Amino acid sequence: MNGKQFLELLSRLPARVWIQAVLGLIGFVVLAVLGFAVIAGVAAVGLVLLLAFKAKRWILGFFRRDIEPAPPARHHDGKVTDVQYEIVDRTNDRTPPP
């Protein structure tokens, strides 16, 4: 079946099929747009709630310093070795470099 035969086949379809196809396409586009709008809306509401919560804690931090204690210092689980070193001052050394 070539392109011309396919177009002839489509032209023989009744008007009811064309109307259903057009309405289906419009419905698909509307659902796609609404779906993206719902996803974007949920993301925007979540972002606004997150920023509002952070702003509240930030503003309250100016007035009360006892809201949250300071985070604990970082602990290293690695082995700590005590090292001794000596500083050598060679500014007065008159020997030529090797």
Side-chain angles (χ1 to χ4, degrees), residues 23-47:
L23 290 177
L25 183 63
I26 291 172
F28 177 75
V29 170
V30 167
L31 287 177
V33 169
L34 288 177
F36 286 121
V38 167
I39 292 171
V42 169
V45 168
L47 183 64

Side-chain angles (χ1 to χ4, degrees), residues 10-88:
L10 288 179
S11 68
R12 292 184 191 148
L13 291 175
R16 177 180 53 88
V17 174
W18 283 101
I19 292 172
Q20 287 177 347
V22 169
L23 290 177
L25 183 63
I26 291 172
F28 177 75
V29 170
V30 167
L31 287 177
V33 169
L34 288 177
F36 286 121
V38 167
I39 292 171
V42 169
V45 168
L47 183 64
V48 167
L49 288 176
L50 178 69
L51 291 176
F53 178 71
K54 293 284 188 178
K56 176 186 168 191
R57 289 184 62 195
W58 180 68
I59 291 171
L60 288 177
F62 284 122
F63 302 112
R64 292 187 291 181
R65 290 290 174 195
D66 60 342
I67 291 176
E68 183 177 300
R74 292 184 182 178
H75 292 90
H76 296 285
D77 294 336
K79 183 178 179 182
V80 177
T81 306
D82 193 14
V83 178
Q84 294 182 1
Y85 60 93
E86 178 182 354
I87 298 175
V88 179

